Amino acid sequence: MKEDFSKLFPDDREEHTNETVLRQSQLIMLRMLKIVDYICEKNSIDYWLDSGTLLGAVRHGGFIPWDDDIDIAMPREHYERFIEIIEQELPEDLYFKCYDTTENPKHTWGNVIDTKSRIIEKGAEDHISGLYIDIFPFDSYSDNFFKRNFSEKLHKHLFIKSFLVNAPLKKPFFKGSNLPKNIVRLLSRLTIIFSILNHKKIYNLSLKSREQRINSMKNNPKTNYGYGTDILNWDKVYDSEVIYPLKKMKFEDGEFSVPNNCHSFLVTQYGGSYMTPPPEYNRYTHFNHVEPIAYNKPCVNNEEKQFVTK
């Protein structure tokens, strides 16, 4: 029986119109996270706060003040079970899409999406959607160093290197950590083998062997976890003891699952200075435009490009 989330987690976005658009968006996504957490607990599905959301929990006790999305992760088997049950569990104002269930999805990972808001994402100005939660599958990587690094992670290495070549230089060009990153990108473009690669071609080639690689990695011992073999942008691998057993941590006004060793997890992901916020010029958001309340403007794809100019 589907829960009455209007009572469990009421949608009170209209009570927060005095807040900034960013804060309104965060509160909407927080409600979404509470619903996902409830569904996962009900169905014995493991998840944990990931990436900037985990960093926000540890460093700020909630959202990073300028963050405008939520990231969570799941082991592959739990992610697949989540896909099976989520559409029947979500309230009507939320929906789920991913590569396995949606034609021409934007990502290979999953998104729970709010239907009552509208966003325009940076780099995808022709795609109008709602505020969302990213859900990343984690695969089990081999204990064998050579298999893990020269077989299982080869697709990721190629994608990251070619993406580096094709990516624009970071602005401001000569400040802080942007300077060495831009130097590396410029030097990479001088390397012929990488300059002829196109990350989109590698991405499409990788998708052709996606199912085979996922199934193969399910046979690995559960001793190393990393972003899924189809999540080509991220290349981190964590010992299972870093993630399990999961524990709870405060995030805003709730408690949610996090890795067992958040410090080790975040050091691997961000480096040892993760508790020091970056300078203001290096604080990035994901969206060009957000409407936290857009009841009469349903989410569409590629059909409202005029919205970009409004």
Side-chain angles (χ1 to χ4, degrees), residues 71-85:
D71 302 308
I72 67 173
M74 300 175 179
R76 177 71 67 176
E77 290 83 355
H78 290 254
Y79 177 76
E80 290 177 345
R81 194 155 74 248
F82 183 83
I83 292 174
E84 292 176 359
I85 61 96

Side-chain angles (χ1 to χ4, degrees), residues 148-170:
R148 182 171 70 246
N149 287 282
F150 296 102
S151 174
E152 293 176 344
K153 291 169 66 175
L154 178 61
H155 298 81
K156 290 174 177 282
H157 285 302
L158 286 173
F159 182 83
I160 292 166
K161 292 296 184 184
S162 60
F163 186 83
L164 181 69
V165 170
N166 289 278
L169 299 181
K170 298 177 77 65

Side-chain angles (χ1 to χ4, degrees), residues 255-272:
E255 287 195 344
F256 303 94
S257 296
V258 298
N260 177 52
N261 190 336
C262 292
H263 173 70
S264 179
F265 193 99
L266 290 171
V267 166
T268 298
Q269 196 159 48
Y270 295 109

Side-chain angles (χ1 to χ4, degrees), residues 10-13 15-34 63 70 131 252-253:
D11 180 3
D12 58 359
R13 72 187 70 200
E15 298 177 16
H16 301 289
T17 54
N18 59 322
E19 302 277 4
T20 65
V21 168
L22 174 58
R23 187 56 180 164
Q24 290 180 63
S25 301
Q26 290 176 343
L27 293 173
I28 291 168
M29 291 184 290
L30 178 61
R31 171 183 176 262
M32 296 166 65
L33 178 60
K34 290 176 179 178
F63 284 97
I70 284 181
L131 292 163
E252 297 289 335
D253 63 352

Side-chain angles (χ1 to χ4, degrees), residues 61 139 147 160 226 230:
D139 284 320
K147 181 181 179 182
I160 292 166
D230 49 345

